[in-house]
Amino acid sequence: MIWQISVALIAVAFVVLVVFLVRTLQSAQKSLNQTTETLQEIKETVNDLSTEIKGVVRQANDITGDLQHKMEQIDPVLESVKNVGEVLNEVTLAAKQVSTALIDRMKNSPRAARRARRAETETPQAPVAPPAPEPPAALPAGPADKPTGWVKWVDVAASVWQKYRS
C-alpha cells in the first residue's frame, strides 16, 4: 500500500510540476511574441527614419553646395575690401609723413631759429624790450615760403580720397 501511495504522490507531484512548467512556457511564449512585435515596430521605425535621414543629408549637401557657390561669389568682394584697406593704410601713412614733414619744416624755419636764438640770449634778470616786428617783405625767402612741396602732397591725398569715395 505504501507503494501505491508513493506512486500516487509522485504522480500528483509530476502533474503539479507539469502544470507549472506549462504556465511558465506559456508566459515565455507571450514574452517572445511581444518581443517579436516590438522588433517589427522598431524595424519599421528605423526604415522610416532612414528615408528621412537620407532626405536631410541630401538637403544638407544642397545647402553646402549653395554656400560654397555663394562664398565663391563673395570672394572678389572680400578681395576688394582688402585692397581698399591697404589703400587707406597707404593714404594714412602718406598723410602722417606729410604732416610730420610740415611740422619739421615749421620747426626748422628761419623764424623758429630766430626765436630760439632770442630765447637763449635773453637773460631772466634784465627785461628786454621785444624787438619791433619786421615787415613781411623783409623776411628772408626760405623753404617755409615755398608751399608747393607740401601742397602737392595734400593735393595728391585729396585726389586719392575723392577717387576712393566715388
Side-chain angles (χ1 to χ4, degrees):
M1 164 111 185
I2 289 196
W3 267 107
Q4 291 173 350
I5 294 175
S6 295
V7 170
L9 281 176
I10 291 173
V12 169
F14 185 73
V15 168
V16 170
L17 180 65
V18 168
V19 168
F20 281 112
L21 188 60
V22 167
R23 280 186 170 173
T24 304
L25 288 174
Q26 286 176 343
S27 176
Q29 184 179 6
K30 286 181 184 177
S31 294
L32 285 173
N33 287 340
Q34 287 177 350
T35 304
T36 303
E37 290 174 10
T38 304
L39 286 174
Q40 287 295 333
E41 290 174 7
I42 289 173
K43 186 177 178 181
E44 291 173 6
T45 305
V46 166
N47 287 338
D48 292 342
L49 286 176
S50 68
T51 57
E52 289 179 16
I53 289 173
K54 287 177 185 176
V56 168
V57 168
R58 284 188 197 113
Q59 286 179 345
N61 287 339
D62 292 344
I63 290 171
T64 303
D66 188 39
L67 284 175
Q68 286 175 346
H69 176 68
K70 288 180 180 177
M71 289 299 291
E72 288 171 359
Q73 289 177 340
I74 290 176
D75 279 344
V77 174
L78 295 177
E79 188 68 28
S80 296
V81 169
K82 177 185 171 192
N83 291 340
V84 166
E86 290 173 357
V87 167
L88 284 176
N89 188 20
E90 290 176 12
V91 168
T92 304
L93 284 174
K96 183 177 177 182
Q97 290 172 352
V98 166
S99 64
T100 304
L102 180 63
I103 290 172
D104 288 343
R105 188 177 282 177
M106 293 176 97
K107 284 182 180 177
N108 295 331
S109 70
R111 286 184 189 170
R114 271 188 260 150
R115 286 183 196 149
R117 274 186 259 134
R118 282 186 206 151
E120 290 174 0
T121 58
E122 288 182 3
T123 58
Q125 293 133 355
V128 179
E134 297 180 18
L139 290 176
D145 293 336
K146 290 186 178 181
T148 56
W150 67 270
V151 170
K152 287 181 184 178
W153 282 105
V154 171
D155 287 340
V156 168
S159 65
V160 167
W161 179 252
Q162 287 175 351
K163 288 179 183 178
Y164 167 72
R165 288 185 64 194
S166 59

